[in-house]
Amino acid sequence: MKTKKYYLYLRGSIWYCRFIDPVTGTSLTARSTGKSSRQEAEEVVISWLYGGIPKKHNKEEKQALEVHAVIETFKKMLINNRIPSDELSRILSLASYMYGFSCSVHPCNNQKESERPQQLSHTESPDVKKNATVNSHQSPSFVDYTLTFWDWKCSPYIAALREEGVQEKLLPGKTRFQKIRYMLQKRLFPYFKETPLSAVTAKDINKFLLSLLGSLKVSSLKKMSEWLQQTVKFAYKEGLLDTDISFQIHPPKGECEIKPILTIEQSVQLFSTTAHFKNKMHYCINKLALETACRIGEVAALKISDILFTDDETQASVRITKNYHFSTHTLKDTKNKSHKDVPISPQLTALLKEFIDTHPQKDNRDAFLFYNSTKADRPVGYDSIRKEFIRVMKTLGFYVSHLSIHSYRHLAAVILWDKGFLEREIMMVTGHKSLWVLRHYCNHETQARKEKKREMSRAIAQAITSETLIA
């Protein structure tokens, strides 16, 4: 019988691991995995089992050790001639761009003194040195520049935002940058290799995106095209590209995957009683997500003060100004930096009034509306919302693959579209800035649309009958 090598347990919202001594069978000191998801915690523990448990260092020590290890490895590889000259050229080119000094690769050791690069005089300003590097020979490669752009710690884009005075809490999320960089890193180099940034065209990027069609969904390629648009647009602003090619970049044409949504009949059944949900809070979260067409982060970000009741408290509207990032536990602007007030139904108004009256922090108007029962400074967690949503959908027999709480946002757009509201009117509720995106949200086959098609088909058939022609 195999003995267990470790035990996982929750402490607060973080998973901790206790390894079992293989000799004595006793539990060792617990170590934090730093993860709130059990699956991610398991992955961390397995990496420790095979790679060893890392030593504890404070942040400064850890960074210093990492830098020292990289420098020592780089030195050894240089001494043993293990770095090809073309790779070294790319490294120095990137360093030239990032640090603003001139450098080049001279593989021959027996060069004459006159052939070696001239040292810059001390009187030259940093601006002159930096401008000297912006040419076709010393331009960083497209791959290096793109991966640096999406490396949050050393991104020139993040640095520019800081220079503009953007507060740290309002900067783009580290996790998002990390995911984007990982997505691009696996795919860019095999295609572009060492192509200089200055030589890349929109046609090259579009061909690259087309080459991924099949291995990635059209929706994923659309996101990737937006990332690359942002990258080259910034490079143009920095003077690293002669022309702005961002508007010429587009994803390959194809059918985008349509997110499943509930039918009107299912929605009516779902919200017919609060008993379908484990408590009134989860009922209100789901109903609010549908009635306001909000993203779930915007619903989680709501404070008690964001529910604006009328004097008689029979009507209310919801003020949406922030988005809660579940990964970093921070409040930021909404995705499109837009604010909106959305009226809600009298039924939901009454439920929210009852819910707020029982809120543990009801006297604190700045408290999160949908509170976390264990952490007063956070709203209810995303995992809790998602799991309850899936449980209810499965219980009612509504669940299909890829149905999520974000489907409410699609459903709200579809309902408004089918009711005949204009696109610009719908965008006032959904907050979309792009008609293309709104149309994608509204592109669902509903019962009303099936009826409309049948009606049109009958109209065509009646128009070409013999009786009609004779008349």
Side-chain angles (χ1 to χ4, degrees), residues 327-451:
S327 57
T328 57
H329 303 295
T330 54
L331 278 174
K332 296 192 176 182
D333 279 337
T334 59
K335 186 176 180 180
N336 292 324
K337 307 288 190 291
S338 60
H339 297 175
K340 59 183 182 181
D341 284 1
V342 184
I344 55 176
S345 65
Q347 182 252 0
L348 183 55
T349 299
L351 281 171
L352 283 174
K353 179 69 173 63
E354 292 173 16
F355 174 68
I356 292 172
D357 287 342
T358 61
H359 197 292
Q361 300 179 63
K362 62 181 179 181
D363 295 328
N364 178 10
R365 300 287 293 165
D366 200 42
F368 284 110
L369 175 64
F370 301 116
Y371 58 89
N372 189 312
S373 57
T374 58
K375 296 183 182 297
D377 61 335
R378 295 181 188 177
V380 62
Y382 177 73
D383 278 349
S384 176
I385 297 171
R386 180 182 62 84
K387 287 175 181 175
E388 178 61 8
F389 173 84
I390 292 173
R391 184 196 69 78
V392 173
M393 294 301 156
K394 287 183 175 179
T395 301
L396 295 175
F398 298 161
Y399 186 76
V400 293
S401 181
H402 302 303
L403 183 70
S404 72
I405 201 156
H406 193 71
S407 299
Y408 287 135
R409 189 163 156 78
H410 286 248
L411 178 57
V414 167
I415 291 171
L416 294 174
W417 183 286
D418 285 351
K419 291 291 183 183
F421 287 94
L422 300 176
E423 290 176 334
R424 291 293 177 187
E425 292 171 337
I426 299 172
M427 290 167 76
M428 289 192 296
V429 175
T430 63
H432 286 118
K433 298 293 185 185
S434 164
L435 286 172
W436 187 92
V437 176
L438 176 66
R439 288 165 186 166
H440 170 66
Y441 268 62
C442 296
N443 187 27
H444 293 267
E445 186 77 351
T446 64
Q447 193 60 38
R449 293 180 190 184
K450 289 177 183 177
E451 281 295 330

Side-chain angles (χ1 to χ4, degrees), residues 287-298:
K287 189 78 184 293
L288 197 61
L290 177 54
E291 287 198 14
T292 62
C294 282
R295 301 172 182 88
I296 190 58
E298 294 168 351

Side-chain angles (χ1 to χ4, degrees), residues 13 27 39 43 46-47 57 67 110 168 173 177-178 186 190 232 252 278 354 378 382 435 440 453 458:
S13 61
S27 298
Q39 183 180 348
E43 292 171 358
I46 290 169
S47 70
H57 297 286
V67 171
N110 57 352
E168 286 293 316
F177 265 56
Q178 184 180 356
K186 294 194 300 181
V232 297
K278 68 179 181 181
E354 292 173 16
R378 295 181 188 177
Y382 177 73
L435 286 172
H440 170 66
K453 286 180 182 178
R458 285 194 297 269

Side-chain angles (χ1 to χ4, degrees), residues 89-99 101 103 130 132-149 156 192-200 231 235 238-241:
S89 176
R90 292 175 62 221
I91 293 169
L92 293 178
S93 174
L94 180 60
S96 169
Y97 166 71
M98 294 301 298
Y99 290 89
F101 56 73
C103 55
K130 185 172 182 179
T133 66
V134 183
N135 57 57
S136 59
H137 299 293
Q138 294 179 330
S139 171
S141 75
F142 175 66
V143 176
D144 283 339
Y145 181 81
T146 303
L147 296 183
T148 303
F149 181 91
F192 288 100
K193 296 185 170 60
E194 299 167 16
T195 306
L197 171 64
S198 57
V200 168
T231 304
E238 291 286 286
L240 296 171
L241 289 175

